[in-house]
Amino acid sequence: MDASRVILGIESSCDDTAAAVVRARPGVAVGTVLSSIVAGQDALHLPYGGVVPEIAARAHAERLDTVTAAALDRAGLTLADLDAVAVTAGPGLIGGVLAGVMFAKGIAAGRGLPLWGVNHLAGHALTPRLVADVAFPYLLLLVSGGHCQFLAVAGPDAFTRLGGTIDDAPGEAFDKVAKLLGLPQPGGPAVEAEAAAGDPRRFAFPRPLLDRAGCDLSFSGLKTAVRRARDRLVAEKGGLTRRDRADLCAGFQAAVAETLAEKTRRALRVFADRHQGSGPVLAVAGGVAANRSIRAGLDAVAQAAGARFLAPPLALCTDNGAMIAWAAAERMGAGTPPDGLALSARPRWPLDAGAAPLLGAGRKGAKA
């Protein structure tokens, strides 16, 4: 008898409306992604230079049904074939999260299916086990537009933060630098493309917090350094040449990559001290993990430390529904009961609830 479960995963925490169907077997790491559909919103937000929460929420509400229908169609399934529904319940832009939660509740109630609410960050953190046979515990660098932290992942609901950003996340810094230089959003791919033709040594940008012990990171000052370098060039020349912009991007990207590499070396040492006897695995997840320069630097750090390096396929690094379905499958396997229709949307939801809020968490408390 086939004991596998077919799970619909729904993700709407920021500006990507996503749905996916995943097949998972109890007790077996590595799932099968039957389909994954992502509807981006870049064109909607482009005139405003960044994500507008109200526009994002409205777009999610308009697209969730069509995206889900497309995911089921691509998987060759119908709602009657599902065993469970999983949805991002936070953290994120509350309007978008709420739209996804209410949509998932409708499907669960209509079909009589169990409903799991998933922490968006846990979805990223558990993605390595969706694509590879990775045992707990492992070290994860979660690096995205809104988050950056080192996590010791010991189980589907067991995360220990070893360090994180005290201000801007790297993806946020990429977006802001792109805006400073007149590049389109999202900023990560735009800056990476420009950097390919630039000289990373032309500008002496700082490597933040490398003079301090520990695994915490900071990128706000680096972003400010890029702005000041841009302003100097504009004052001297009356504008930026294509070479100037490429060199600024290359220098900024190199600073981010080198900072992440050094902090990862430290995190690997801390992880090894706490989890002696386990074969070290360094995994990276989140949208910024799609940056090839950053990936290459982390791979080199892992090889030097004798650790296995694992980076999911690029399509599973950015926001997607497959990671949400898989996180629910992991919780099912651990015996966690479903949340049901009492599930609430949460704008903030730290993975390590016992860790002190990072300095950049804001007045309303820790988001990550």
Side-chain angles (χ1 to χ4, degrees), residues 267-364:
L268 274 169
R269 289 195 291 267
V270 173
F271 180 83
D273 289 342
R274 296 185 183 183
H275 300 278
Q276 295 181 3
S278 62
V281 173
L282 169 64
V284 60
V288 179
N291 182 286
R292 292 171 178 79
S293 177
I294 290 173
R295 276 197 185 212
L298 297 173
D299 192 4
V301 168
Q303 289 188 37
R308 176 186 175 190
F309 179 68
L310 178 61
L314 299 184
L316 294 178
C317 286
T318 51
D319 292 351
N320 63 89
M323 70 180 189
I324 304 304
W326 178 253
E330 292 268 31
R331 295 180 69 199
M332 291 180 206
T336 304
D339 295 283
L341 299 182
L343 177 67
S344 298
R346 304 171 62 173
R348 294 175 180 264
W349 190 358
L351 280 180
D352 185 353
L358 291 166
L359 295 179
R363 294 181 179 179
K364 294 183 180 179

Coordinates of all heavy atoms in Angstrom, one line a residue, residues 267-364:
A267 N 30.6 30.4 12.1 CA 29.4 29.6 12.4 C 29.7 28.1 12.3 O 29.2 27.3 13.1 CB 28.3 30.0 11.5
L268 N 30.5 27.7 11.3 CA 30.8 26.3 11.2 C 31.6 25.8 12.5 O 31.4 24.7 12.9 CB 31.6 26.0 10.0 CG 30.8 25.8 8.7 CD1 31.8 25.8 7.5 CD2 30.1 24.4 8.7
R269 N 32.5 26.7 13.0 CA 33.3 26.3 14.2 C 32.3 26.2 15.4 O 32.5 25.2 16.2 CB 34.4 27.3 14.4 CG 35.5 27.3 13.4 CD 36.7 28.0 13.9 NE 36.5 29.5 13.9 CZ 36.8 30.3 12.9 NH1 37.3 29.8 11.8 NH2 36.6 31.6 13.0
V270 N 31.4 27.1 15.5 CA 30.5 27.1 16.6 C 29.6 25.8 16.5 O 29.4 25.1 17.5 CB 29.6 28.3 16.7 CG1 28.5 28.2 17.7 CG2 30.4 29.6 16.9
F271 N 29.1 25.5 15.3 CA 28.3 24.4 15.1 C 29.0 23.1 15.4 O 28.5 22.2 16.1 CB 27.8 24.4 13.7 CG 26.9 23.2 13.3 CD1 25.5 23.2 13.6 CD2 27.4 22.1 12.7 CE1 24.7 22.1 13.3 CE2 26.6 21.0 12.4 CZ 25.3 21.0 12.7
A272 N 30.3 23.0 15.0 CA 31.1 21.8 15.2 C 31.3 21.6 16.7 O 31.3 20.5 17.2 CB 32.4 21.9 14.5
D273 N 31.6 22.7 17.4 CA 31.8 22.5 18.9 C 30.5 22.0 19.6 O 30.6 21.3 20.6 CB 32.1 23.9 19.5 CG 33.6 24.3 19.1 OD1 34.3 23.4 18.7 OD2 33.9 25.5 19.2
R274 N 29.3 22.4 19.1 CA 28.1 22.0 19.8 C 27.6 20.7 19.3 O 26.8 20.0 20.0 CB 27.0 23.1 19.5 CG 27.3 24.5 20.1 CD 26.2 25.4 19.9 NE 26.5 26.7 20.4 CZ 25.6 27.8 20.4 NH1 24.4 27.6 19.9 NH2 25.9 28.9 20.9
H275 N 28.0 20.2 18.1 CA 27.4 19.0 17.6 C 28.6 18.1 17.2 O 28.7 17.6 16.0 CB 26.5 19.3 16.4 CG 25.4 20.2 16.7 ND1 24.2 19.7 17.3 CD2 25.2 21.5 16.6 CE1 23.3 20.6 17.5 NE2 23.9 21.8 17.1
Q276 N 29.4 17.8 18.1 CA 30.6 16.9 17.8 C 30.1 15.5 17.5 O 29.2 15.0 18.1 CB 31.5 16.9 19.0 CG 32.2 18.3 19.3 CD 33.1 18.2 20.5 OE1 33.3 17.2 21.1 NE2 33.7 19.4 20.8
G277 N 30.8 14.9 16.5 CA 30.4 13.6 16.1 C 29.5 13.5 14.9 O 29.4 12.5 14.3
S278 N 28.8 14.6 14.6 CA 28.0 14.6 13.4 C 28.8 15.1 12.2 O 29.5 16.1 12.3 CB 26.7 15.4 13.6 OG 27.1 16.8 13.8
G279 N 28.6 14.5 11.0 CA 29.3 15.0 9.8 C 28.8 16.3 9.5 O 27.6 16.5 9.3
P280 N 29.6 17.4 9.4 CA 29.1 18.7 9.2 C 28.5 18.9 7.8 O 29.1 18.5 6.8 CB 30.4 19.6 9.4 CG 31.5 18.6 9.1 CD 31.1 17.3 9.5
V281 N 27.4 19.5 7.8 CA 26.7 19.9 6.5 C 26.4 21.4 6.6 O 25.8 21.8 7.6 CB 25.4 19.1 6.3 CG1 24.7 19.6 5.1 CG2 25.7 17.6 6.2
L282 N 26.8 22.1 5.6 CA 26.5 23.5 5.5 C 25.5 23.7 4.3 O 25.8 23.3 3.2 CB 27.7 24.4 5.2 CG 27.5 25.8 4.8 CD1 26.8 26.6 5.9 CD2 28.8 26.5 4.4
A283 N 24.3 24.1 4.7 CA 23.3 24.3 3.6 C 23.0 25.8 3.6 O 23.1 26.5 4.6 CB 22.0 23.6 4.0
V284 N 22.6 26.3 2.4 CA 22.2 27.7 2.2 C 20.9 27.7 1.5 O 20.5 26.9 0.7 CB 23.3 28.4 1.4 CG1 23.4 27.8 0.0 CG2 23.0 29.9 1.3
A285 N 20.0 28.6 2.0 CA 18.7 28.7 1.4 C 18.2 30.2 1.4 O 18.8 31.0 2.1 CB 17.7 27.9 2.1
G286 N 17.2 30.5 0.7 CA 16.7 31.9 0.6 C 17.1 32.5 -0.8 O 18.0 32.0 -1.5
G287 N 16.5 33.6 -1.1 CA 16.6 34.1 -2.5 C 18.0 34.6 -2.8 O 18.5 34.4 -3.9
V288 N 18.8 35.1 -1.8 CA 20.2 35.6 -2.1 C 21.1 34.4 -2.4 O 22.1 34.5 -3.0 CB 20.7 36.4 -0.9 CG1 22.1 36.9 -1.2 CG2 19.8 37.6 -0.8
A289 N 20.7 33.2 -2.0 CA 21.5 32.0 -2.3 C 21.5 31.7 -3.7 O 22.4 30.9 -4.2 CB 20.9 30.8 -1.5
A290 N 20.7 32.4 -4.5 CA 20.8 32.3 -6.0 C 22.0 33.0 -6.6 O 22.3 32.8 -7.7 CB 19.5 32.7 -6.6
N291 N 22.6 33.9 -5.8 CA 23.7 34.7 -6.3 C 25.0 33.8 -6.5 O 25.4 33.1 -5.5 CB 24.0 35.8 -5.3 CG 25.2 36.7 -5.8 OD1 26.3 36.3 -5.8 ND2 24.8 37.9 -6.2
R292 N 25.5 33.7 -7.7 CA 26.6 32.7 -7.9 C 27.8 33.0 -7.2 O 28.6 32.1 -6.8 CB 26.8 32.6 -9.4 CG 25.6 32.0 -10.2 CD 25.8 32.1 -11.7 NE 24.7 31.5 -12.4 CZ 23.5 32.0 -12.6 NH1 23.3 33.3 -12.1 NH2 22.6 31.4 -13.3
S293 N 28.2 34.3 -7.1 CA 29.4 34.7 -6.4 C 29.3 34.3 -4.9 O 30.3 33.8 -4.3 CB 29.6 36.2 -6.5 OG 30.7 36.6 -5.8
I294 N 28.2 34.5 -4.3 CA 28.0 34.2 -2.9 C 28.0 32.7 -2.7 O 28.7 32.1 -1.8 CB 26.7 34.8 -2.3 CG1 26.8 36.3 -2.2 CG2 26.3 34.2 -1.0 CD1 25.5 37.0 -1.9
R295 N 27.4 31.9 -3.6 CA 27.4 30.5 -3.5 C 28.8 29.9 -3.6 O 29.2 29.0 -2.9 CB 26.6 29.9 -4.7 CG 25.1 29.8 -4.4 CD 24.5 28.8 -5.4 NE 23.1 28.7 -5.3 CZ 22.3 27.7 -5.6 NH1 22.9 26.5 -5.9 NH2 21.0 27.7 -5.4
A296 N 29.6 30.5 -4.6 CA 30.9 30.0 -4.7 C 31.8 30.2 -3.5 O 32.6 29.3 -3.1 CB 31.6 30.7 -6.0
G297 N 31.6 31.4 -2.9 CA 32.4 31.7 -1.6 C 32.0 30.7 -0.5 O 32.9 30.2 0.2
L298 N 30.7 30.4 -0.4 CA 30.3 29.5 0.7 C 30.7 28.1 0.4 O 31.1 27.3 1.4 CB 28.8 29.6 0.8 CG 28.2 30.9 1.2 CD1 26.7 30.9 1.2 CD2 28.6 31.3 2.6
D299 N 30.7 27.7 -0.8 CA 31.2 26.3 -1.2 C 32.7 26.2 -0.8 O 33.1 25.2 -0.3 CB 31.0 26.1 -2.7 CG 31.2 24.7 -3.1 OD1 31.4 23.8 -2.2 OD2 31.1 24.4 -4.3
A300 N 33.5 27.2 -1.1 CA 34.9 27.2 -0.8 C 35.1 27.1 0.7 O 36.0 26.4 1.2 CB 35.6 28.4 -1.3
V301 N 34.3 27.8 1.5 CA 34.4 27.8 3.0 C 34.1 26.4 3.5 O 34.8 25.8 4.3 CB 33.5 28.8 3.6 CG1 33.4 28.5 5.1 CG2 34.0 30.2 3.4
A302 N 33.1 25.7 2.9 CA 32.7 24.4 3.3 C 33.8 23.4 3.0 O 34.1 22.5 3.8 CB 31.4 24.0 2.7
Q303 N 34.4 23.5 1.8 CA 35.4 22.5 1.4 C 36.6 22.7 2.4 O 37.2 21.7 2.8 CB 35.8 22.8 0.0 CG 34.8 22.4 -1.0 CD 35.3 22.5 -2.5 OE1 36.5 22.2 -2.7 NE2 34.5 22.9 -3.4
A304 N 37.0 23.9 2.7 CA 38.1 24.1 3.6 C 37.9 23.6 5.0 O 38.8 23.2 5.6 CB 38.4 25.6 3.7
A305 N 36.6 23.5 5.4 CA 36.3 23.0 6.7 C 36.0 21.6 6.7 O 35.6 21.0 7.8 CB 35.1 23.8 7.3
G306 N 36.0 20.9 5.6 CA 35.7 19.5 5.5 C 34.2 19.2 5.6 O 33.8 18.2 6.0
A307 N 33.4 20.2 5.3 CA 31.9 20.1 5.4 C 31.3 19.8 4.0 O 31.8 20.3 3.0 CB 31.3 21.3 6.0
R308 N 30.2 19.2 4.0 CA 29.4 19.0 2.8 C 28.6 20.3 2.6 O 28.0 20.8 3.5 CB 28.5 17.8 3.0 CG 27.5 17.6 1.8 CD 26.5 16.5 2.1 NE 25.5 16.3 1.1 CZ 24.4 15.5 1.3 NH1 24.2 14.9 2.4 NH2 23.6 15.4 0.3
F309 N 28.7 20.8 1.3 CA 27.9 22.0 1.0 C 26.7 21.6 0.2 O 26.8 20.8 -0.8 CB 28.8 22.9 0.2 CG 28.1 24.2 -0.2 CD1 27.7 25.1 0.7 CD2 27.8 24.5 -1.6 CE1 27.1 26.3 0.3 CE2 27.2 25.6 -2.0 CZ 26.8 26.6 -1.0
L310 N 25.6 22.2 0.5 CA 24.4 21.9 -0.1 C 23.6 23.2 -0.4 O 23.3 23.9 0.5 CB 23.5 21.0 0.7 CG 22.1 20.6 0.1 CD1 22.3 19.9 -1.2 CD2 21.4 19.7 1.1
A311 N 23.3 23.4 -1.7 CA 22.5 24.6 -2.1 C 21.4 24.1 -3.0 O 21.6 23.4 -4.0 CB 23.3 25.6 -2.8
P312 N 20.1 24.3 -2.6 CA 19.0 23.8 -3.4 C 19.0 24.4 -4.8 O 19.7 25.4 -5.0 CB 17.8 24.2 -2.6 CG 18.3 24.4 -1.2 CD 19.7 24.9 -1.4
P313 N 18.3 23.8 -5.7 CA 18.2 24.4 -7.1 C 17.7 25.9 -6.9 O 16.9 26.2 -6.0 CB 17.2 23.5 -7.8 CG 17.3 22.2 -7.1 CD 17.6 22.5 -5.7
L314 N 18.1 26.7 -7.9 CA 17.7 28.1 -7.8 C 16.2 28.3 -7.6 O 15.8 29.2 -6.9 CB 18.2 28.8 -9.0 CG 19.8 28.8 -9.3 CD1 20.1 29.7 -10.5 CD2 20.5 29.3 -8.0
A315 N 15.4 27.5 -8.3 CA 14.0 27.7 -8.2 C 13.4 27.4 -6.9 O 12.3 27.9 -6.5 CB 13.3 26.8 -9.3
L316 N 14.2 26.7 -6.0 CA 13.7 26.4 -4.7 C 14.4 27.3 -3.6 O 14.1 27.2 -2.4 CB 14.0 24.9 -4.3 CG 13.1 23.9 -5.1 CD1 13.5 22.5 -4.7 CD2 11.6 24.2 -5.0
C317 N 15.2 28.2 -4.1 CA 15.9 29.2 -3.2 C 14.9 30.4 -3.0 O 14.8 30.9 -1.8 CB 17.2 29.6 -3.7 SG 18.5 28.4 -3.6
T318 N 14.3 30.8 -4.0 CA 13.4 31.9 -3.9 C 12.0 31.4 -3.4 O 11.8 30.2 -3.2 CB 13.2 32.6 -5.2 OG1 12.8 31.6 -6.2 CG2 14.4 33.3 -5.7
D319 N 11.1 32.3 -3.0 CA 9.9 31.8 -2.4 C 9.1 30.9 -3.3 O 8.9 31.2 -4.5 CB 9.0 33.1 -2.1 CG 9.6 33.9 -0.9 OD1 10.6 33.5 -0.3 OD2 9.1 35.0 -0.7
N320 N 8.5 29.8 -2.8 CA 7.8 28.9 -3.6 C 6.9 28.0 -2.7 O 7.1 28.0 -1.5 CB 8.8 27.9 -4.3 CG 9.7 27.1 -3.4 OD1 9.3 26.0 -3.0 ND2 10.8 27.7 -3.0
G321 N 5.9 27.4 -3.3 CA 5.0 26.6 -2.5 C 5.5 25.2 -2.1 O 5.1 24.6 -1.1
A322 N 6.5 24.7 -2.9 CA 7.0 23.4 -2.6 C 7.7 23.3 -1.2 O 7.5 22.3 -0.4 CB 8.0 23.0 -3.6
M323 N 8.4 24.4 -0.8 CA 9.0 24.4 0.5 C 8.0 24.4 1.6 O 8.2 23.8 2.7 CB 10.0 25.5 0.6 CG 9.3 26.9 0.7 SD 10.6 28.2 0.9 CE 9.5 29.6 1.3
I324 N 6.8 25.0 1.4 CA 5.8 25.0 2.4 C 5.1 23.7 2.5 O 4.9 23.2 3.7 CB 4.7 26.1 2.0 CG1 5.4 27.5 1.8 CG2 3.6 26.2 3.0 CD1 6.2 28.0 3.0
A325 N 4.9 23.0 1.4 CA 4.3 21.7 1.5 C 5.3 20.7 2.2 O 4.9 19.9 3.0 CB 4.0 21.2 0.1
W326 N 6.6 20.8 1.9 CA 7.6 19.9 2.5 C 7.7 20.2 4.0 O 7.8 19.2 4.8 CB 8.9 20.1 1.8 CG 10.0 19.2 2.4 CD1 11.0 19.6 3.2 CD2 10.0 17.8 2.3 NE1 11.7 18.5 3.6 CE2 11.1 17.4 3.1 CE3 9.3 16.8 1.7 CZ2 11.5 16.0 3.2 CZ3 9.6 15.5 1.8 CH2 10.7 15.1 2.6
A327 N 7.7 21.4 4.4 CA 7.8 21.7 5.8 C 6.6 21.1 6.6 O 6.8 20.6 7.7 CB 7.8 23.2 6.1
A328 N 5.4 21.1 6.0 CA 4.3 20.5 6.6 C 4.5 18.9 6.6 O 4.2 18.3 7.6 CB 3.0 20.8 5.8
A329 N 5.1 18.4 5.6 CA 5.3 16.9 5.6 C 6.3 16.6 6.7 O 6.1 15.5 7.3 CB 5.9 16.5 4.2
E330 N 7.3 17.4 6.9 CA 8.3 17.1 8.0 C 7.6 17.2 9.3 O 7.8 16.3 10.2 CB 9.4 18.2 8.0 CG 10.3 18.1 6.8 CD 11.5 17.3 7.0 OE1 11.4 16.3 7.8 OE2 12.6 17.6 6.5
R331 N 6.7 18.1 9.5 CA 5.9 18.2 10.8 C 5.0 17.0 11.0 O 4.8 16.5 12.1 CB 5.2 19.5 10.9 CG 6.1 20.7 10.9 CD 5.3 22.0 11.0 NE 4.6 22.1 12.3 CZ 3.6 22.9 12.5 NH1 3.1 23.7 11.5 NH2 3.0 23.0 13.7
M332 N 4.4 16.6 9.9 CA 3.5 15.4 10.0 C 4.3 14.2 10.4 O 3.9 13.4 11.3 CB 2.9 15.1 8.6 CG 1.9 16.0 8.1 SD 1.3 15.5 6.4 CE 0.8 17.0 5.8
G333 N 5.5 14.0 9.8 CA 6.4 12.9 10.1 C 6.9 12.9 11.6 O 7.1 11.9 12.1
A334 N 6.9 14.1 12.1 CA 7.3 14.2 13.5 C 6.2 14.1 14.5 O 6.3 14.2 15.7 CB 8.0 15.6 13.8
G335 N 5.0 13.9 14.0 CA 3.8 13.7 14.8 C 3.1 14.9 15.2 O 2.3 14.9 16.1
T336 N 3.4 16.1 14.6 CA 2.8 17.3 15.0 C 1.4 17.3 14.4 O 1.2 17.1 13.2 CB 3.6 18.5 14.4 OG1 4.9 18.4 14.8 CG2 2.9 19.8 14.8
P337 N 0.4 17.6 15.3 CA -1.0 17.6 14.8 C -1.3 18.8 13.9 O -0.6 19.9 14.0 CB -1.8 17.7 16.0 CG -0.9 18.4 17.0 CD 0.5 17.9 16.7
P338 N -2.3 18.8 13.0 CA -2.6 19.9 12.1 C -3.1 21.1 12.9 O -3.6 20.9 14.0 CB -3.6 19.4 11.2 CG -4.2 18.2 11.9 CD -3.1 17.6 12.7
D339 N -3.0 22.3 12.3 CA -3.5 23.5 13.0 C -5.0 23.6 12.8 O -5.7 24.1 13.7 CB -2.8 24.7 12.4 CG -1.3 24.7 12.6 OD1 -0.9 25.0 13.8 OD2 -0.6 24.4 11.7
G340 N -5.6 23.2 11.7 CA -7.0 23.3 11.5 C -7.4 24.7 11.2 O -6.6 25.6 11.0
L341 N -8.8 24.9 11.2 CA -9.3 26.2 10.8 C -9.1 27.3 11.8 O -9.5 28.4 11.5 CB -10.8 26.0 10.5 CG -11.1 25.0 9.4 CD1 -12.6 24.9 9.1 CD2 -10.4 25.3 8.1
A342 N -8.6 27.0 13.0 CA -8.3 28.0 14.0 C -6.9 28.7 13.7 O -6.6 29.7 14.4 CB -8.2 27.5 15.4
L343 N -6.3 28.3 12.6 CA -5.0 28.9 12.2 C -5.1 30.4 12.0 O -6.0 30.9 11.4 CB -4.5 28.3 10.9 CG -3.2 28.8 10.3 CD1 -2.0 28.5 11.2 CD2 -3.0 28.2 8.9
S344 N -4.1 31.2 12.6 CA -4.1 32.6 12.4 C -2.8 33.0 11.6 O -1.8 32.4 11.6 CB -4.0 33.3 13.8 OG -5.1 33.0 14.6
A345 N -3.0 34.2 10.9 CA -1.9 34.7 10.2 C -1.0 35.6 11.2 O -1.5 36.2 12.0 CB -2.4 35.6 9.1
R346 N 0.3 35.5 11.0 CA 1.2 36.1 11.9 C 2.3 37.0 11.1 O 3.0 36.4 10.3 CB 2.0 35.1 12.8 CG 1.1 34.2 13.5 CD 1.8 33.1 14.2 NE 2.8 33.5 15.2 CZ 3.4 32.7 16.0 NH1 3.2 31.4 15.9 NH2 4.3 33.2 16.9
P347 N 2.3 38.3 11.4 CA 3.3 39.1 10.7 C 4.7 38.8 11.2 O 5.7 39.0 10.4 CB 2.9 40.5 11.0 CG 2.2 40.4 12.3 CD 1.5 39.1 12.3
R348 N 4.9 38.4 12.4 CA 6.2 38.1 13.0 C 6.2 36.7 13.6 O 5.2 36.4 14.3 CB 6.6 39.2 14.0 CG 6.8 40.5 13.4 CD 7.1 41.6 14.4 NE 7.3 42.9 13.7 CZ 8.5 43.4 13.4 NH1 9.6 42.7 13.7 NH2 8.7 44.6 12.8
W349 N 7.3 36.0 13.4 CA 7.3 34.6 13.9 C 8.7 34.1 13.9 O 9.2 33.5 12.9 CB 6.4 33.7 13.0 CG 6.1 32.4 13.5 CD1 6.6 31.8 14.6 CD2 5.3 31.4 12.8 NE1 6.1 30.5 14.7 CE2 5.3 30.2 13.6 CE3 4.5 31.4 11.6 CZ2 4.6 29.1 13.3 CZ3 3.8 30.2 11.3 CH2 3.9 29.1 12.1
P350 N 9.5 34.4 14.9 CA 10.9 33.9 14.9 C 11.0 32.4 15.0 O 10.2 31.8 15.7 CB 11.4 34.6 16.2 CG 10.3 34.9 17.1 CD 9.1 35.1 16.1
L351 N 12.0 31.8 14.3 CA 12.2 30.4 14.4 C 12.7 30.0 15.7 O 12.3 28.9 16.3 CB 13.2 30.0 13.3 CG 12.6 29.8 11.9 CD1 13.7 29.4 10.9 CD2 11.5 28.8 11.8
D352 N 13.6 30.7 16.3 CA 14.2 30.4 17.6 C 13.5 31.4 18.6 O 14.0 32.5 18.8 CB 15.7 30.6 17.6 CG 16.4 30.2 18.9 OD1 15.6 29.9 19.9 OD2 17.6 30.1 19.0
A353 N 12.4 30.9 19.2 CA 11.7 31.8 20.1 C 12.5 32.1 21.4 O 12.2 33.1 22.0 CB 10.3 31.2 20.4
G354 N 13.4 31.3 21.7 CA 14.2 31.5 22.9 C 15.4 32.5 22.8 O 16.0 32.9 23.8
A355 N 15.7 32.8 21.5 CA 16.8 33.7 21.3 C 16.5 35.2 21.5 O 15.3 35.6 21.3 CB 17.4 33.5 19.9
A356 N 17.4 36.0 22.0 CA 17.2 37.4 22.2 C 16.9 38.1 20.9 O 17.6 37.7 19.9 CB 18.3 38.0 22.9
P357 N 16.0 39.0 20.8 CA 15.7 39.7 19.5 C 17.0 40.4 19.0 O 17.8 40.9 19.8 CB 14.6 40.7 19.9 CG 14.0 40.2 21.1 CD 15.1 39.5 21.9
L358 N 17.2 40.3 17.7 CA 18.3 41.0 17.2 C 18.1 42.5 17.2 O 17.0 43.0 17.3 CB 18.5 40.6 15.7 CG 19.0 39.1 15.5 CD1 18.8 38.7 14.1 CD2 20.5 39.0 15.9
L359 N 19.2 43.3 17.2 CA 19.1 44.7 17.4 C 18.2 45.4 16.3 O 17.6 46.4 16.6 CB 20.5 45.4 17.4 CG 21.4 45.0 18.6 CD1 22.7 45.6 18.5 CD2 20.7 45.3 19.9
G360 N 18.2 44.8 15.2 CA 17.4 45.4 14.1 C 16.0 44.9 14.0 O 15.3 45.0 13.0
A361 N 15.5 44.2 15.0 CA 14.2 43.6 14.9 C 13.0 44.5 14.9 O 11.9 44.2 14.5 CB 14.0 42.6 16.1
G362 N 13.2 45.7 15.4 CA 12.1 46.7 15.4 C 11.4 46.7 16.7 O 11.5 45.9 17.5
R363 N 10.5 47.8 16.8 CA 9.8 47.9 18.1 C 8.7 46.9 18.3 O 8.4 46.6 19.5 CB 9.1 49.3 18.1 CG 10.0 50.5 18.1 CD 9.3 51.8 18.1 NE 10.2 52.9 18.1 CZ 9.8 54.2 18.1 NH1 8.5 54.5 18.1 NH2 10.7 55.2 18.1
K364 N 8.3 46.2 17.3 CA 7.2 45.2 17.5 C 7.7 43.9 17.8 O 7.0 42.9 17.9 CB 6.3 45.2 16.2 CG 5.6 46.5 16.0 CD 4.7 46.4 14.8 CE 3.9 47.7 14.5 NZ 3.0 47.6 13.3

